[in-house]
């Protein structure tokens, strides 16, 4: 009898622990506050969510473009900038999260760039105005990117749920009116239904060869 009671108690405790360790999920819908249209391919990050170790990554220069256009890395990661074009490039950034300058070069730079501070790093080429890329340095692993309908399911692990019902989300898209930083939302977890958020996007650029603000700042030096 005692044995049966002990087993039953253990099962109850295990069930309680499993319930406490369950990961909550929130369906999210993101729209443009000006047009009301869904925002696709936006990066969503849960503040204080699970972290990842630093990585070795690359942003390749090919056909006078950066690939990938957006790179998401954990803090303290190292990024190389190999040039696969038959012309030289001059890669630089003035962003507070990481300012750097790799002057005219072909092939592969001598050393990768280390990103030790969280934030958004905007990258350009002083020779080719249309070249632009972004690096997002994070403390938490991204929850993912929104689909064509602006939807994403965000997982909320028990370590983030402090019983207040509130969480903080970071959202970034290259066409945010201020894409040099991530939009921050402090929200209450909905008891049912999806979480609806909106951000303000700039219009689609009229041309790929426009002289953007990053290039103008470089030429003012």
């Amino acid at each position: 009898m005692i044995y049966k009671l002990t087993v039953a108690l253990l099962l109850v405790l295990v069930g309680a622990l499993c319930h406490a360790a369950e990961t909550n999920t929130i369906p999210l819908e993101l729209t443009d506050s000006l047009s009301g249209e869904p925002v696709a391919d936006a990066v969503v990050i849960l503040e204080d969510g699970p972290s990842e170790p630093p990585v070795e990554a690359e942003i390749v220069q090919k056909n006078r473009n950066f690939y990938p256009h957006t790179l998401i890395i954990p803090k303290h990661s190292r990024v190389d900038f190999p040039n696969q074009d038959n012309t030289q490039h001059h890669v630089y950034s003035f962003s507070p999260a990481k300012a750097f300058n790799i002057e005219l070069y072909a092939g592969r730079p001598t050393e990768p760039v280390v990103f030790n501070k969280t934030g958004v790093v905007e990258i350009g080429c002083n020779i080719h105005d249309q070249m632009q890329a972004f690096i997002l340095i994070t403390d938490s692993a991204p929850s993912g990117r929104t689909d064509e309908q602006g939807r994403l399911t965000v997982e909320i692990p028990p370590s983030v749920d402090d019983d207040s019902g509130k969480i903080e989300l970071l959202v970034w898209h290259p066409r945010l009116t201020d894409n040099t930083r991530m939009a921050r939302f402090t929200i209450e977890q909905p008891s049912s239904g999806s979480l609806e958020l909106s951000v303000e996007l700039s219009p689609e650029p009229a041309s790929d060869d426009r002289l953007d603000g990053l290039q103008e700042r470089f030429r003012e030096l």
Side-chain angles (χ1 to χ4, degrees), residues 3-206:
Y3 172 77
K4 291 182 178 180
L5 288 175
T6 302
V7 171
L9 180 59
L10 285 173
L11 290 175
V12 171
L13 290 174
V14 169
L17 289 172
C18 290
H19 178 74
E22 286 182 356
T23 297
N24 187 22
T25 59
I26 298 178
L28 180 148
E29 295 184 6
L30 185 66
T31 58
D32 180 358
S33 61
L34 297 180
S35 68
E37 295 295 319
V39 177
D41 206 32
V43 179
V44 179
I45 300 170
L46 176 65
E47 187 82 322
D48 299 324
S51 61
E52 293 180 332
V55 298
E56 302 276 343
E58 288 185 342
I59 291 185
V60 176
Q61 297 147 74
K62 187 176 182 180
N63 299 325
R64 298 185 180 184
N65 281 293
F66 289 117
Y67 297 98
H69 179 263
T70 302
L71 177 66
I72 309 171
I73 55 174
K75 190 166 58 174
H76 305 306
S77 293
R78 295 155 56 92
V79 180
D80 208 352
F81 295 86
N83 179 0
Q84 297 182 4
D85 281 330
N86 57 7
T87 185
Q88 292 183 321
H89 291 301
H90 183 160
V91 181
Y92 69 97
S93 176
F94 294 126
S95 301
K98 184 66 178 185
F100 67 94
N101 187 34
I102 309 175
E103 296 188 0
L104 279 173
Y105 71 98
R108 187 177 293 268
T110 305
E111 295 288 341
V113 179
V114 182
F115 295 84
N116 290 326
K117 184 178 179 181
T118 59
V120 179
V121 176
E122 182 184 10
I123 297 169
C125 175
N126 185 38
I127 308 302
H128 307 101
D129 298 351
Q130 82 283 359
M131 292 178 64
Q132 184 187 45
F134 295 89
I135 299 179
L136 276 58
I137 306 101
T138 70
D139 281 324
S140 303
S143 298
R145 298 185 187 226
T146 54
D147 63 15
E148 291 299 318
Q149 288 73 45
R151 296 172 180 167
L152 173 70
T153 298
V154 180
E155 294 188 352
I156 313 297
S159 59
V160 176
D161 192 348
D162 60 0
D163 295 329
S164 69
K166 294 184 178 181
I167 58 173
E168 291 197 358
L169 290 177
L170 302 174
V171 177
W172 185 87
H173 190 277
R175 283 176 46 220
L176 282 178
T177 51
D178 182 5
N179 61 10
T180 64
R181 64 185 66 192
M182 303 181 202
R184 181 181 294 271
F185 297 88
T186 301
I187 58 174
E188 291 189 5
Q189 300 184 48
S191 56
S192 62
S194 61
L195 176 65
E196 298 180 358
L197 299 178
S198 63
V199 292
E200 185 175 336
L201 299 186
S202 300
E204 289 279 5

